[in-house]
Amino acid sequence: MKLLAARRLLRILRVVIRYRLDDLLLDLPLPVWLRLSRFLLPWRWLPRGKSELNRGAALRLALQDLGPIFIKFGQLLSTRRDLLPPDIADELAFLQDQVPPFPAEQSIALIEEQLGTSIASAFAHFEVEPLASASVAQVHAARLKTGEEVVVKVVRPGLRPIIRSDLAWLFIIARVAERASADARRLRPVEVVQDYEKTIYDELDLLREAANASQLRRNFEGSELLYVPQIHWDWCRPKVLVMERIYGVPVTDLEVLADQRTNMKLLAERGVEIFFTQVFRDSFFHADMHPGNIFVSTRTPWSPQYIAVDCGIVGSLTPEDQDYLARNLLAFFKRDYRKVAQLHIDSGWVPAETRVNDFEAAIRTVCEPIFEKPLKDISFGQLLLRLFQTARRFNMEVQPQLVLLQKTLLNIEGLGRQLYPELDLWSTAQPYLERWMRERVSPRSLLSNLQSQVEQVPHLATMTRDLLERASQPHAHDPAPPWRERGDHWLLRLIGAGLLLGAASLGLNGHMEAWPSWLLLAGGLYLVLRR
């Protein structure tokens, strides 16, 4: 592993030298000593001609040469035009769907190997020239024998060794950083790289992507918000995916969207609604929402519908994560910084000994300036920097399970900036979150949860009786103990204790004013105290 990482480091250094990426240090807001340190690099003293590439093109080509992990990093950066100079952002945008394709001969050979038949036998028509090429795969247009227009996605050959070497190097960097810096340990870089390792390898399995797309399509079946292409499962393999071909406008093609009189305000708001619907209603969200994967339907521009492709990376949250995020966001919207601080402490994200008042004041200082402003007036770059400083001061830990969610939020923000700069992200999201919180304690939701619990009761009763029988076997000659004779009563009291815990949980989360909380409390007391 270390030898593999060493080879990759040499490759990275060659790319840095070839494209003169050290020259970018002069343009970055780094300390003077760090900017000047580039002159200590040995290749700076070697004769070399003047580069014909501008800095944006040099960075783009360097990321392309370094492979899929670096290309994906460039894709994320391309959505953050508030953080990048325009010339660099424009160049990085080409990484979204204009990565150089691999030879068509390799693509055809891999497709035929995976399908076990020739291209002519599988398709009535197949376009050799790829429609688009990205970091992990490229797609070709085709038509099935049954007449459906489809696209055929095929994984780039030889990716695994490159990814394995990149990850080896990232793991070494992460471990060295953890040993050398307390700030790095707080960010838990090794766990972050482990999560990314799973994500990138999952992308290489197109059957997983097909399953993700089918699930997302089912979640939004008949929705006017989002359309997901149909998967043709008979032609899907681990390295080949065949799905319905869609016709839409790339979400960043603002001129075409304007020409067809697209309702840009509604389009931006629906993007936010789609994100929160996926995260909170379904707990299943598209986690690679860079502009190259998002299109807009041309059918109803006055009521625009998104089209999503490339579901290789998806994320999900536990009910606890969902509840925690929703309460934090609502507290932010209401500027209840004390509740935000207390939620962080209760969840263990910051040490239990943290002074709530100090943490509350720090959060207020960071967040107060962002409210009551349109998105275009908010510097999220500065906000993230100040939040990082606050995190370092209070030893806040980065949660690896939320890394995908954070990445998706950055993508959504970048799209929102381009589509409708006047969008007020907060006022768009707040009503949705409040409605979701109300539905969690609605009679229908409560009855659904109660039904789930009741279904477990017969199983629990059987388990309890089995335990009582086993416990009594060594002393079969002794009279049956009273607690065994009253096994059913103990079971009911156990259920009652569970209801009391549920009521207490709702009370601690601020829902004790709702009637379900009192119902749980009354039922629990009855079962525990009955004779």
Side-chain angles (χ1 to χ4, degrees), residues 187-227:
L187 296 175
R188 296 152 74 177
V190 172
E191 292 186 42
V192 172
V193 176
Q194 287 172 341
D195 282 354
Y196 190 70
E197 178 182 33
K198 180 180 181 301
T199 298
I200 194 70
Y201 280 130
D202 284 350
E203 276 199 272
L204 300 182
D205 183 359
L206 295 187
L207 287 179
R208 181 184 293 270
E209 178 181 337
N212 292 340
S214 293
Q215 177 68 55
L216 193 61
R217 176 181 173 87
R218 188 160 56 251
N219 290 346
F220 284 87
E221 190 73 38
S223 171
E224 62 181 5
L225 301 177
L226 180 66
Y227 183 82

Side-chain angles (χ1 to χ4, degrees), residues 379-390:
S379 174
F380 277 88
Q382 289 298 318
L383 174 64
L384 291 174
L385 177 61
R386 295 175 68 185
L387 283 175
F388 177 79
Q389 294 169 344
T390 302

Side-chain angles (χ1 to χ4, degrees), residues 299-347:
R299 292 182 302 172
T300 55
W302 58 91
S303 179
Q305 182 186 47
Y306 284 91
I307 305 173
V309 299
D310 193 352
C311 298
I313 304 177
V314 298
S316 61
L317 299 177
T318 65
E320 292 77 15
D321 285 336
Q322 288 178 309
D323 191 72
Y324 171 76
L325 283 171
R327 293 186 186 284
N328 265 282
L329 289 172
L330 287 174
F332 273 122
F333 294 150
K334 297 175 182 178
R335 307 189 194 187
D336 189 350
Y337 303 120
R338 186 173 186 84
K339 186 172 184 178
V340 173
Q342 192 63 56
L343 282 169
H344 277 69
I345 294 172
D346 292 344
S347 68

Side-chain angles (χ1 to χ4, degrees), residues 37-271:
S37 66
R38 71 191 185 102
F39 293 106
L40 299 177
L41 301 173
W43 60 83
R44 299 290 306 180
W45 301 97
L46 298 176
R48 54 182 183 175
K50 184 178 180 181
S51 174
E52 297 181 357
L53 297 173
N54 60 51
R55 61 181 184 175
L59 181 58
R60 173 177 60 83
L61 292 173
L63 293 175
Q64 285 181 190
D65 280 1
L66 289 173
I69 288 182
F70 294 90
I71 290 174
K72 286 193 170 296
F73 179 69
Q75 290 173 349
L76 176 61
L77 284 180
S78 71
T79 66
R80 301 310 312 276
R81 291 182 173 267
D82 57 314
L83 302 179
L84 297 174
D87 59 320
I88 293 181
D90 290 341
E91 285 289 342
L92 293 183
F94 289 111
L95 294 175
Q96 292 164 6
D97 58 358
Q98 297 186 35
V99 179
F102 54 90
E105 294 79 10
Q106 294 183 12
S107 181
I108 291 174
L110 185 55
I111 293 171
E112 291 181 339
E113 175 191 341
Q114 290 283 297
L115 297 182
T117 187
S118 66
I119 290 290
S121 299
F123 304 103
H125 173 71
F126 182 88
E127 293 186 10
V128 175
E129 191 70 22
L131 280 177
S133 182
S135 55
V136 171
Q138 67 186 31
V139 295
H140 297 261
R143 185 172 65 253
L144 295 176
K145 297 284 188 178
T146 51
E148 294 97 330
E149 297 289 332
V150 297
V151 294
V152 183
K153 183 173 183 177
V154 56
V155 173
R156 285 179 175 269
L159 270 187
R160 283 189 177 272
I162 299 174
I163 292 175
R164 190 161 54 246
S165 61
D166 281 346
L167 288 171
W169 178 240
L170 289 176
F171 272 117
I172 288 177
I173 293 176
R175 292 188 180 102
V176 170
E178 282 193 348
R179 293 191 185 102
S181 168
D183 284 342
R185 285 193 293 274
R186 178 178 54 79
L187 296 175
R188 296 152 74 177
V190 172
E191 292 186 42
V192 172
V193 176
Q194 287 172 341
D195 282 354
Y196 190 70
E197 178 182 33
K198 180 180 181 301
T199 298
I200 194 70
Y201 280 130
D202 284 350
E203 276 199 272
L204 300 182
D205 183 359
L206 295 187
L207 287 179
R208 181 184 293 270
E209 178 181 337
N212 292 340
S214 293
Q215 177 68 55
L216 193 61
R217 176 181 173 87
R218 188 160 56 251
N219 290 346
F220 284 87
E221 190 73 38
S223 171
E224 62 181 5
L225 301 177
L226 180 66
Y227 183 82
V228 181
Q230 180 182 359
I231 299 297
H232 293 273
W233 279 103
D234 290 343
W235 301 104
C236 290
R237 302 293 186 273
K239 294 184 180 180
V240 173
L241 182 151
V242 177
M243 69 178 182
E244 170 192 0
R245 184 176 183 180
I246 55 97
Y247 295 90
V249 180
V251 72
T252 53
D253 198 340
L254 302 183
E255 291 186 5
V256 174
L257 291 175
D259 289 343
Q260 68 175 18
R261 297 184 179 181
T262 302
N263 186 333
M264 301 301 287
K265 181 176 184 295
L266 183 58
L267 182 64
E269 291 174 346
R270 284 186 169 180

